[in-house]
Amino acid sequence: MSFTRSIKIAPSILSADFAAFGAECRAIEAQGADWVHVDVMDGHFVPNITFGPATCAAIRPHIKGVMDVHLMIAPVDPYIEAFAAAGADIITAHLEAGPHIHRTLQAIRGAGAKAGLALNPGTGIDSVAHLLDMVDLICVMTVNPGFGGQKFIHSQLEKIRQLRALIGDRSVHIEIDGGVTTETAPLVAAAGADVLVAGSAVFRGGSVADPAPYGENIRAIRAAAEAAQTSWA
Ligand code: DX5
Ligand code: ZN
């Protein structure tokens, strides 16, 4: 994984057909996805349950590029090795998921994965300054985590701008997760984001049998974001 701030579209398989994850991953990559975003939920940290490391390992052979695993689980630390062994390129943990985020980020890198730090909408960026050299990605949640198809929370745009300034020249991605559409993509790109997760806005209208709409949706989101990405890129 080489670092670049060009816009990357990361479809979330939370909006895919759960009975066909392998085929869905192949379809979205063939249709232009840059990364595959994998939402792991535990019914404890968030009020929904998806799947765990065994499913990640099962879909890994169907992903040629980056497998971006977003852990919405607490605790995180006991499961890091399992998700790294499942082939996650990036493992993102929530700042809110436990008292020892510093240790968690160290453990993720120690397991050989890139380390991501996710912030809920209600969380400020004060702690991030102390973690900047330990992260490869900061995920700004623009919905409260747990479900796809929610409405984008506009107050997060200022947080993205502040994070972008804080990151400076460091090789740290800003990822946006929740409510990304062709309407909100330009806003987050202009504010400083380079990785756009999108679930419902990518999978809408398509299927494994008819994947062309995935490509149309990805291209539309990418074009809207690229047109808004400013000179810092
Ligand atoms: C929410 C998940 C997101 C979600 C985004 O908890 O982390 O990745 O799938 O879904 P949309 O794009 O539909 O808001
Ligand atoms: Zn996610």
Side-chain angles (χ1 to χ4, degrees):
M1 272 182 72
S2 60
F3 184 86
T4 147
R5 289 194 201 286
S6 60
I7 295 292
K8 290 161 284 292
I9 308 298
S12 164
I13 60 167
L14 188 61
S15 294
D17 176 354
F18 272 44
F21 274 149
E24 290 277 41
C25 290
R26 294 197 303 273
I28 53 175
E29 282 196 332
Q31 293 295 325
D34 298 287
W35 295 2
V36 176
H37 185 82
V38 180
D39 284 312
V40 175
M41 304 187 186
D42 67 352
H44 167 72
F45 179 68
V46 290
N48 193 7
I49 301 176
T50 54
F51 45 77
T55 303
C56 292
I59 66 176
R60 174 72 262 189
H62 301 275
I63 301 171
K64 290 192 196 124
V66 172
M67 183 158 101
D68 173 32
V69 176
H70 178 192
L71 297 182
M72 287 161 275
I73 65 174
V76 181
D77 296 8
Y79 304 101
I80 290 170
E81 284 290 345
F83 284 102
D89 297 290
I90 304 168
I91 298 177
T92 296
H94 270 260
L95 179 67
E96 307 84 4
H100 298 296
I101 188 66
H102 191 281
R103 175 183 289 149
T104 300
L105 293 168
Q106 271 181 330
I108 292 172
R109 281 191 171 171
K114 300 274 189 195
L117 171 66
L119 306 175
N120 279 337
T123 301
I125 66 166
D126 293 0
S127 319
V128 174
H130 309 284
L131 302 168
L132 264 187
D133 294 323
M134 311 186 62
V135 296
D136 301 289
L137 174 151
I138 298 173
C139 174
V140 177
M141 294 302 303
T142 40
V143 299
N144 283 295
F147 302 96
Q150 302 182 80
K151 203 170 164 335
F152 182 88
I153 302 172
H154 282 77
S155 63
Q156 301 306 300
L157 290 170
E158 182 55 27
K159 188 192 288 184
I160 300 167
R161 281 191 281 272
Q162 289 172 2
L163 275 173
R164 183 67 199 91
L166 191 63
I167 287 168
D169 290 336
R170 292 176 180 82
S171 297
V172 177
H173 298 289
I174 297 182
E175 177 177 76
I176 306 305
D177 191 357
V180 171
T181 64
T182 50
E183 283 76 45
T184 57
L187 307 178
V188 300
D194 62 298
V195 185
L196 277 56
V197 174
S200 41
V202 164
F203 285 91
R204 182 176 300 137
S207 66
V208 168
D210 176 25
Y214 298 168
E216 289 158 21
N217 295 336
I218 289 169
R219 285 191 294 278
I221 296 167
R222 188 193 304 284
E226 284 178 347
Q229 205 178 33
T230 42
S231 54
W232 51 261

